[in-house]
Amino acid sequence: MPPVFPGAVFTPSADDGFIDDGVQVSLWDDDLPAISRLDPELLAAMRAAEARAADDGIRLGVTSGWRSAAYQQWLLDDRIASVGEETARAYVATPEQSRHVSGDAIDIGPVDAQYWLISYGSEFGICQTYGNEPWHFELATTPGSECPPMRTDANG
Ligand SMILES: [Zn+2]
């Protein structure tokens, strides 16, 4: 059941950066705010990584990029409703804290693409930043340097 906000039921749309469950979009889908509102440096680094991944036969699909604050709140409320507050907060940041809302984070699939990016992303400055989210990446190091230690989860 979607959460109810004062005066209206919010339903996230493409304008909020919404990408449906099970859908992967391209790093080149500039018509989608989920892609076009990402930090330009992160997007450029991801596109460079994608070109290298393609040489290894790996396709980097985007399952989530930039999100509006309302969409992030909706995700958090929805998760709290389904799994409870403690578990939800380990995976879904508040709109104020979320690196997706600021355009500084991207979620990647499928699993072989995640594994590739965890292995080679640092060459492009891209790092997994939460230990419990192998799909979530941010620009977090100088290209060619090691990634910083991961935070345990979105709550830590
Ligand atoms: Zn993420």
Side-chain angles (χ1 to χ4, degrees):
M1 193 177 85
V4 178
F5 287 81
V9 175
F10 174 77
T11 304
S13 70
D15 288 344
D16 295 293
F18 179 74
I19 299 172
D20 214 343
D21 283 350
V23 174
Q24 293 177 6
V25 304
S26 161
L27 287 161
W28 299 90
D29 281 339
D30 287 319
D31 53 322
L32 296 176
I35 300 298
S36 65
R37 299 190 71 165
L38 286 170
D39 169 57
E41 283 187 43
L42 172 61
L43 185 55
M46 286 298 305
R47 286 173 172 174
E50 179 187 55
R52 183 83 60 80
D55 291 342
D56 293 337
I58 301 292
R59 183 185 167 275
L60 303 183
V62 180
T63 59
S64 196
W66 170 83
R67 302 171 189 153
S68 72
Y71 177 25
Q72 185 72 26
Q73 185 67 53
W74 180 87
L75 280 173
L76 181 56
D77 292 344
D78 184 64
R79 193 68 69 89
I80 288 172
S82 61
V83 300
E85 181 127 14
E86 188 177 348
T87 303
R89 290 194 184 280
Y91 286 93
V92 185
T94 64
E96 293 74 26
Q97 295 170 324
S98 174
R99 302 279 289 169
H100 285 280
V101 173
S102 62
D104 294 309
I106 192 165
D107 294 348
I108 294 297
V111 170
D112 64 345
Q114 295 166 3
Y115 187 75
W116 190 94
L117 209 51
I118 289 168
S119 300
Y120 302 111
S122 64
E123 293 177 29
F124 308 90
I126 298 162
C127 300
Q128 179 191 351
T129 54
Y130 297 119
N132 67 339
E133 297 190 14
W135 54 85
H136 176 105
F137 297 91
E138 302 176 17
L139 266 190
T141 192
T142 307
S145 299
E146 279 189 37
C147 286
M150 285 181 262
R151 284 160 282 170
T152 307
D153 58 42
N155 209 13

